[in-house]
Amino acid sequence: MSERSSRVSVLAVVSINVVPEIVKTYTYTKLTSPSAVKKAIQIWDEIGESAFLALYGFQNAREYVLRYEGKEYPSKAIAAVAYGIQHPEEPQMTSLNSSGGKSPGKAGWALARIGFEVDGIPKKARHWSLSEVELTVRAYLNMLGLELAGIDYVKAEFNRNVKRHLNSRSTAAIEYKFQNISAALQEMKLPFIDGYKPYSEYQALLKYVLEDELESSFSVLGNVADQVPVNGELDSYFVEPPETKLQLPEGKQKVIQTSWSKREAKNRKLGLRGEVFVLELEKRRLINLGLAEKSEQIEHVSQTIGDGLGYDILSFDEDGRELHIEVKTTLAGIEHPFWVTRNELSVSQDLSESYRLYRVFNFGTNTQVYCLEGALDEVCQLLPANFLAAPA
């Protein structure tokens, strides 16, 4: 045998005896949370394309591109991270154990199913978009929360408010969608609004959004009946901001056990109560200014649109110009600091002339408020208390 043929024989034997590792594959059939996808997109936006792909071990999309709010994202990478956010107890999706594409169970298919736009996967023309469904579900849950708390409200006002943001949908179509939500809640054995008779023929996206909202919404689960009323003169509630020096605690911190789900629930309920309190303050303020018509146009946008706008309430000043109000509520005293998000800071800078932060303190005992006007980095001391981190 020649030297060349000997080398070929050895190579042949080696190739025959190498057994490739079998990688178990997973599907995205359990990815049903639009908010988890939005959180994955937020991580991408905050750390950037290169860091995101390196951190999670993916490559950029070549075919099935996810499009959201005018930007492009790799559908498989975003779906994988979103799946981990929704199902942290399950194995992490990777580029090796999951698939992109439009077939059932694949990343593009899963994202399109819960309302996101993915190249190569056609949208159903008559179906409502994700943003339309989210807006309608939030309005319904807000009404339901008021009804369960025994607080009067006008359904027609909620319908008009939703319609104002959904120009292509009729009043009848919105009413029909409210009936769909009643049907979904009935199937989930949850209370629903009696005035909206359940109608069960609805698009699957509605139930995914409803389940998502119920995870974080306190319109239904929170008790707003214990809302602090606005009594007396408005001037008695407003005070000047305190003069404090903010500093992070030094030394070793006390170790405590925290139930994060209970803490988040408590904070969200307190935040909602504070927002409703400020809503009433704003209505009274505008009425006192002789702007009763404007007082009816005040909008609780964190409930009607969502909590990602960077402010909670859309109100008006004495000249009828828009005010964008972020509400921060605490049971503690006037000097207690508060948290702001990166988004809230950015929005306050973009809307500096109309941006207001209402700090509600001593809530429920001796409730008072101070107001900060303008960009938060100009009217607040800001200290970096948390960082997004990954191995160096």
Side-chain angles (χ1 to χ4, degrees):
M1 182 181 293
S2 68
E3 183 179 346
R4 178 182 178 187
S5 62
S6 175
R7 287 201 302 269
V8 172
S9 298
V10 171
L11 289 172
V13 171
V14 172
S15 65
I16 290 171
N17 284 278
V18 171
V19 179
E21 181 182 356
I22 299 175
V23 178
K24 183 177 179 180
T25 58
Y26 300 91
T27 69
Y28 289 95
T29 54
K30 291 171 65 177
L31 177 57
T32 60
S33 171
S35 68
V37 175
K38 292 179 182 180
K39 288 176 183 177
I41 289 173
Q42 183 181 3
I43 295 172
W44 172 288
D45 289 341
E46 288 184 351
I47 69 176
E49 174 185 332
S50 299
F52 186 97
L53 295 175
L55 178 61
Y56 295 106
F58 283 87
Q59 295 180 343
N60 220 329
R62 293 188 297 272
E63 183 176 1
Y64 297 102
V65 175
L66 167 65
R67 299 185 183 278
Y68 181 71
E69 294 187 345
K71 298 181 181 179
E72 298 181 357
Y73 304 89
S75 59
K76 185 177 174 181
I78 294 295
V81 175
Y83 191 94
I85 292 171
Q86 184 179 0
H87 303 289
E89 74 287 353
E90 297 194 6
Q92 177 64 47
M93 294 290 198
T94 69
S95 60
L96 298 177
N97 68 9
S98 64
S99 299
K102 62 182 180 180
S103 301
K106 295 187 177 182
W109 167 86
L111 292 170
R113 184 178 62 154
I114 55 177
F116 291 91
E117 180 183 351
V118 180
D119 286 359
I121 303 179
K123 295 184 291 184
K124 296 183 178 180
R126 295 179 59 192
H127 281 192
W128 287 39
S129 69
L130 174 59
S131 61
E132 288 178 319
V133 174
E134 288 177 331
L135 177 63
T136 310
V137 167
R138 287 167 185 155
Y140 183 104
L141 292 180
N142 200 14
M143 285 189 288
L144 180 57
L146 294 172
E147 184 163 302
L148 294 176
I151 300 174
D152 292 335
Y153 67 97
V154 180
K155 295 185 181 71
E157 289 183 3
F158 279 84
N159 190 306
R160 284 194 296 270
N161 191 38
V162 171
K163 187 178 179 182
R164 188 161 71 246
H165 296 285
L166 307 180
N167 296 326
S168 62
R169 304 296 179 182
S170 66
T171 299
I174 295 169
E175 293 285 305
Y176 182 81
K177 191 62 72 174
F178 284 154
Q179 289 181 269
N180 289 157
I181 299 170
S182 289
L185 288 169
Q186 187 180 51
E187 292 171 8
M188 298 164 71
K189 302 188 184 304
L190 291 173
F192 59 89
I193 298 173
D194 292 333
Y196 291 118
K197 183 179 179 181
Y199 196 91
S200 59
E201 294 184 10
Y202 55 83
Q203 68 184 106
L205 176 61
L206 185 144
K207 194 162 188 177
Y208 297 139
V209 170
L210 183 58
E211 290 171 344
D212 224 11
E213 291 296 323
L214 287 173
E215 283 292 320
S216 59
S217 173
F218 282 79
S219 298
V220 175
L221 304 180
N223 179 12
V224 295
D226 55 354
Q227 177 58 40
V228 174
V230 177
N231 297 317
E233 296 295 326
L234 292 185
D235 290 344
S236 65
Y237 288 103
F238 287 91
V239 298
E240 292 296 315
E243 294 184 6
T244 57
K245 183 170 180 56
L246 187 61
Q247 60 183 19
L248 292 174
E250 298 179 355
K252 192 173 182 179
Q253 301 301 301
K254 180 180 179 182
V255 177
I256 59 174
Q257 291 185 330
T258 303
S259 171
W260 291 106
S261 60
K262 290 182 179 179
R263 177 173 176 173
E264 182 182 15
K266 183 177 179 180
N267 289 344
R268 287 182 64 88
K269 180 180 177 180
L270 177 63
L272 177 60
R273 292 174 64 202
E275 290 169 23
V276 174
F277 176 79
V278 171
L279 270 172
E280 185 60 28
L281 280 181
E282 281 299 288
K283 288 180 180 179
R284 290 269 300 274
R285 180 181 66 82
L286 290 176
I287 290 172
N288 289 351
L289 289 171
L291 299 173
E293 184 176 344
K294 283 293 184 184
S295 74
E296 296 300 319
Q297 298 176 28
I298 293 175
E299 184 176 349
H300 194 177
V301 293
S302 67
Q303 294 296 301
T304 60
I305 298 178
D307 58 3
L309 294 176
Y311 58 95
D312 301 310
I313 296 169
L314 178 65
S315 186
F316 303 89
D317 66 13
E318 61 272 19
D319 296 318
R321 294 172 298 198
E322 288 186 349
L323 292 178
H324 302 87
I325 300 174
E326 172 64 22
V327 182
K328 300 292 184 182
T329 306
T330 182
L331 303 176
I334 188 171
E335 295 189 352
H336 194 75
F338 50 88
W339 298 96
V340 298
T341 67
R342 186 174 180 175
N343 183 52
E344 288 164 356
L345 174 60
S346 177
V347 172
S348 74
Q349 292 167 337
D350 292 340
L351 302 173
S352 59
E353 300 237 343
S354 62
Y355 198 90
R356 304 289 185 270
L357 188 143
Y358 279 28
R359 178 52 162 168
V360 184
F361 58 95
N362 291 332
F363 189 71
T365 52
N366 180 30
T367 309
Q368 290 188 298
V369 183
Y370 65 79
C371 176
L372 301 175
E373 301 183 7
L376 294 177
D377 57 341
E378 296 182 2
V379 296
C380 295
Q381 306 168 60
L382 299 178
L383 289 182
N386 292 292
F387 298 87
L388 184 66

